Amino acid sequence: MGKIKTIYEFHVIRYFRVVSYCVLLCLFSCSSNHSPKNIRLVKGFPVSSNLIGSKASVENSNFNPLLLGLKDSLLVVCDIENSPHFHVFTLPGLEYSGAFGRMGRGPFEFENPLFWGQFSNTERIKIWVYEMNRLTLSLIDVYNALQDDQYTAEKVISLPPQVDDASNFLVLNDSTLIGSGLFAQNEFVIYCREQEQLNWIPININYAEGLKTFLERNTSYSEFLKQGVFKIKPDNTRFVKSHVYFPVIDVYNASGVLEFTIQLSGKSVVPLFDEGTFDPQTKAWYENIFLTDHFIYALNRNCNIQQYANNECNNSEIHVFDWMGAPIVKYNLNEMIAPGSPFVVDEKNQKIYIVSFVDPDEFFHVFDISLTPFL
C-alpha cells in the first residue's frame, strides 16, 4: 500500500484542483484577535434518520457541478473548468433556467471562476465570484447575466498581488474581505479596502495537546492540516469554519469573535501519521458545510482517507446543529458523494441535493427530509 499524504492527491484533484485547496478560514475584523474557546461537546444526536436518495435527470448535464449555492429556490452551480461556467436551476424540480459566463479574458468572460456559495444580502439574486488569475472579486446579478450575454459585473473589487495564491475570498462587509488557500502565506488574510491593508493571520490550532509542537517540528504538515471550508450565514451575523482532519466546527460572530467550537465527543482530534505521511486510517470529517438562518449543516465524510482514495466512502452523513451549537438531527445518506462534498439543503421544500458521479448523466441526487419538527 502506497503512502498517503492527503485525500485530495488521490481523488479530488482528478476532478477539481482548486477544491483540493478548500479554505480553512477564521473570521476576524481588521483589528482582530482570538478569544478563548467555548467547547460544545456532542455526545450524540437526539434523532437519526436513514435516507434513500433518488437520481434526478436535468436538461443539461454537460458540466461538472462541484461548487453549489442556493438562495430562494434558485440553485447556482459553478464549473470552473468548462464554458459556460455557471448553470442555474429552479428547485424543487431542478428545472434548467439557463447558463452564463463564457470562458475567456474578455470583458464579458471569466477565467476559472470560484463561487463559494456567497450571495449578496439583497432581494436580487447576486453572487460573489472570485477569479484568482485576475485577483478580482465580482458581484454578478444572476438574472441579468442569464438574459444578456454582454452583461458585466455590477461591482468588481481588485486585490493586490500580495494576497499570494489565496484561492478564496469572501465579503465580510463593505470594507473588509477575508481570504485563504492551501499554499497561501500563513493561515488566512484580512484585506481592509479603505486602508488597502493586508493582515496575514498565522495558524491557530489548539484542539489537541501537542499538535502545535508537532507542527513546529514538521512544518510540511501545516498546509494539509488546515484544510477545511468556511461559509457565511445568510443574514451575515455569523461565520463558520469546519475542518477536514478534525471533528470540529468553529462558529464566529460578525465582529470576528470566536463564540464556540462544536466538537464530536470521544472522537480523535489528532490526525494519524506514519513515517512522514498521513496514515491511511486518518479520518476525513467535515469536508463541506451549508448554512441557513436556522441551522448549520455539516457533511461528515465518515470514512478514512484510504477508503476515500478507493472510492469507498459510501456512508456519508449530514450533521445538523442549531446556532447555539446543539445537535438536532443526523441524516445518513447511505451513498457516495462527489469530491469536495457538494450539497445544499432546500429548507422550503425540505430536500437535500448532493452531487454524485456514480452515474455521470444523473449526477444530482435528491433526498426528502422532514425539518418541520425542528423549525
Side-chain angles (χ1 to χ4, degrees), residues 13-254:
I13 292 178
R14 176 183 173 190
Y15 297 102
F16 191 4
R17 294 180 183 274
V18 179
V19 163
S20 68
Y21 307 144
C22 262
V23 293
L24 174 69
L25 294 174
C26 300
L27 172 65
F28 282 80
S29 65
C30 290
S31 57
S32 63
N33 50 42
H34 285 282
S35 63
K37 287 186 176 292
N38 180 8
I39 304 295
R40 310 289 171 86
L41 288 177
V42 176
K43 297 181 180 181
F45 289 82
V47 178
S48 180
S49 178
N50 287 307
L51 304 181
I52 299 177
S54 60
K55 297 178 182 179
S57 299
V58 294
E59 177 181 332
N60 180 7
S61 61
N62 189 27
F63 58 94
N64 293 326
L66 288 175
L67 289 177
L68 310 180
L70 173 64
K71 182 177 180 180
D72 296 343
S73 296
L74 203 70
L75 177 67
V76 180
V77 178
C78 177
D79 177 352
I80 71 162
E81 296 179 339
N82 302 299
S83 181
H85 289 292
F86 298 93
H87 299 262
V88 182
F89 300 85
T90 301
L91 303 184
L94 283 168
E95 292 88 2
Y96 191 64
S97 300
F100 65 91
R102 297 191 307 269
M103 181 185 298
R105 298 185 176 184
F108 316 113
E109 299 170 330
F110 293 88
E111 288 189 87
N112 302 117
L114 300 172
F115 168 54
W116 298 99
Q118 184 179 11
F119 293 82
S120 65
N121 194 14
T122 60
E123 292 185 3
R124 294 283 297 182
I125 306 295
K126 301 177 183 180
I127 62 174
W128 286 102
V129 177
Y130 181 60
E131 293 176 84
M132 189 164 58
N133 292 340
R134 292 176 169 175
L135 294 177
T136 58
L137 188 66
S138 302
L139 184 63
I140 307 295
D141 187 304
V142 172
Y143 286 119
N144 286 346
L146 286 172
Q147 296 168 3
D148 182 3
D149 61 2
Q150 301 295 303
Y151 171 80
T152 57
E154 181 175 309
K155 180 186 296 185
V156 178
I157 300 173
S158 297
L159 296 164
Q162 289 79 10
V163 299
D164 199 17
D165 61 355
S167 60
N168 175 260
F169 273 89
L170 299 174
V171 178
L172 304 185
N173 52 54
D174 290 339
S175 61
T176 309
L177 311 178
I178 189 167
S180 185
L182 183 58
F183 299 109
Q185 179 183 353
N186 293 312
E187 179 53 43
F188 58 90
V189 63
I190 305 164
Y191 179 54
C192 302
R193 296 178 59 196
E194 294 178 357
Q195 297 83 10
E196 296 185 351
Q197 176 184 353
L198 286 169
N199 182 21
W200 286 98
I201 306 299
I203 189 170
N204 183 29
I205 295 179
N206 55 6
Y207 303 115
E209 184 178 357
L211 185 56
K212 286 187 177 181
T213 301
F214 177 88
L215 289 177
E216 290 174 356
R217 297 175 180 175
N218 302 271
T219 55
S220 61
Y221 281 104
S222 62
E223 63 189 30
F224 299 122
L225 287 176
K226 64 186 182 180
Q227 287 182 2
V229 67
F230 177 84
K231 297 287 179 69
I232 298 177
K233 190 179 178 185
D235 64 6
N236 287 350
T237 60
R238 283 178 174 169
F239 307 82
V240 176
K241 175 192 68 178
S242 68
H243 297 267
V244 174
Y245 296 113
F246 300 93
V248 295
I249 298 170
D250 291 331
V251 177
Y252 296 81
N253 67 20

Side-chain angles (χ1 to χ4, degrees), residues 249-285:
I249 298 170
D250 291 331
V251 177
Y252 296 81
N253 67 20
S255 298
V257 176
L258 180 58
E259 291 190 337
F260 58 87
T261 290
I262 301 169
Q263 179 177 320
L264 298 185
S265 178
K267 305 298 183 182
S268 172
V269 293
V270 182
L272 302 175
F273 302 97
D274 177 24
E275 298 180 4
T277 65
F278 278 115
D279 187 286
Q281 299 305 310
T282 299
K283 291 294 293 291
W285 296 101

